[in-house]
Amino acid sequence: MNQPSFHFPKSPRAKAIAFGLIFLLTCIAIYFYSHSSAVPKVKGTAQNVSVTAYTVTRQDMKRKISLSGQTVPVAQVDISTKYAGKIADVAVNLGDVVAPGQVLLIQDTADTNLTLNQDKAALEQAVADSKAAESQFGSDLQKAEVEYDTAKMNYNRYAVLKNEGAISQQELDTAYQALIVAKSALDNLESQNVGDVPASVASKYAAQAKAGYTIDSLAQQLDDMTLRAPRAGVITYRNAEVAP
């Protein structure tokens, strides 16, 4: 039976390599041995270990972002009075929140109210003049019709008398002239109509309508002298003060 034999290199270099390998193997063996012995081996019963548990719930993530910029309104409305005049009341201040139609400012309406009252009196006068003109025209027309019928009847009677020789031609001519005058007056009244209304009455109606338009205009002016908010918003600028 052959015995194992070891052959060592004889050259110095080979010996150095061999000893180096042996040294490396020895270091590795020492490393593994030292680490394996460092692990404690506990014998006996298992020990209790404390564990903290958390319940996970769904939540919105909170983020805080700092940005720089400029805020602007959705709409900006500059409001001013339609008519020049004194200011009687300012109903809002800077920063006030207003609703649509809310009163912002009221101008002094004393002079406008005085003018409005005068125009109302003028309208009443125009209405009275219209009724008087209607009545007068009706009376004049009726009178002209009666005078024409009378003149026509007289002329026909005078014509019969002339044929009988009871009156002269001059008397018949005078009756004819009276008939012509009466007919002319009646035609003049009947030809004055503007549509279905006599001219003298139509002019009074026009004056009445003009007075009514004037009152409507002043009433609108009074309403415009009360400044209201056109929409909901915030007062960001105010340049109005009550007149002393």
Side-chain angles (χ1 to χ4, degrees):
M1 187 172 182
N2 295 329
Q3 295 292 330
S5 59
F6 299 92
H7 301 278
F8 291 94
K10 296 180 178 181
S11 64
R13 181 178 181 184
K15 290 180 179 182
I17 294 175
F19 282 113
L21 291 175
I22 294 171
F23 178 76
L24 179 61
L25 292 174
T26 303
C27 290
I28 293 174
I30 293 173
Y31 174 80
F32 280 106
Y33 176 78
S34 62
H35 279 72
S36 61
S37 61
V39 178
K41 297 182 180 179
V42 181
K43 295 182 179 180
T45 59
Q47 297 180 353
N48 293 329
V49 180
S50 62
V51 178
T52 303
Y54 295 92
T55 301
V56 180
T57 59
R58 182 184 295 272
Q59 294 181 352
D60 293 336
M61 296 182 64
K62 295 182 179 179
R63 293 183 178 180
K64 184 177 180 181
I65 302 175
S66 298
L67 299 174
S68 61
Q70 181 179 4
T71 59
V72 295
V74 176
Q76 179 174 336
V77 181
D78 296 328
I79 307 172
S80 60
T81 58
K82 187 176 181 179
Y83 303 98
K86 294 182 179 180
I87 297 176
D89 183 38
V90 180
V92 293
N93 295 310
L94 285 176
D96 287 354
V97 178
V98 296
Q102 181 175 337
V103 175
L104 306 178
L105 179 148
I106 300 175
Q107 290 182 274
D108 185 4
T109 59
D111 293 340
T112 306
N113 281 322
L114 179 61
T115 304
L116 179 61
N117 291 333
Q118 292 175 346
D119 288 334
K120 286 181 178 180
L123 176 60
E124 293 176 358
Q125 181 64 44
V127 172
D129 291 344
S130 297
K131 292 181 178 179
E134 289 178 353
S135 178
Q136 184 64 44
F137 180 81
S139 177
D140 292 343
L141 181 61
Q142 185 177 9
K143 179 181 178 181
E145 290 174 346
V146 170
E147 289 178 352
Y148 172 71
D149 291 339
T150 301
K152 184 177 180 180
M153 183 178 62
N154 288 337
Y155 175 76
N156 291 335
R157 187 174 67 249
Y158 273 51
V160 173
L161 293 175
K162 176 63 175 63
N163 290 334
E164 294 177 353
I167 61 172
S168 64
Q169 181 65 39
Q170 184 178 0
E171 291 174 321
L172 180 61
D173 292 342
T174 301
Y176 180 72
Q177 290 176 358
L179 175 61
I180 295 301
V181 172
K183 183 65 168 63
S184 176
L186 179 60
D187 290 344
N188 183 46
L189 290 174
E190 291 179 342
S191 64
Q192 288 184 5
N193 286 2
V194 178
D196 296 332
V197 182
S200 58
V201 178
S203 64
K204 300 299 182 181
Y205 282 163
Q208 177 180 333
K210 183 179 180 180
Y213 294 146
T214 302
I215 290 177
D216 293 340
S217 176
L218 284 174
Q220 182 62 50
Q221 181 176 343
L222 281 174
D223 186 69
D224 291 338
M225 293 175 77
T226 299
L227 207 62
R228 295 178 174 85
R231 59 182 298 167
V234 179
I235 303 299
T236 59
Y237 179 76
R238 167 183 155 169
N239 186 25
E241 299 296 337
V242 177

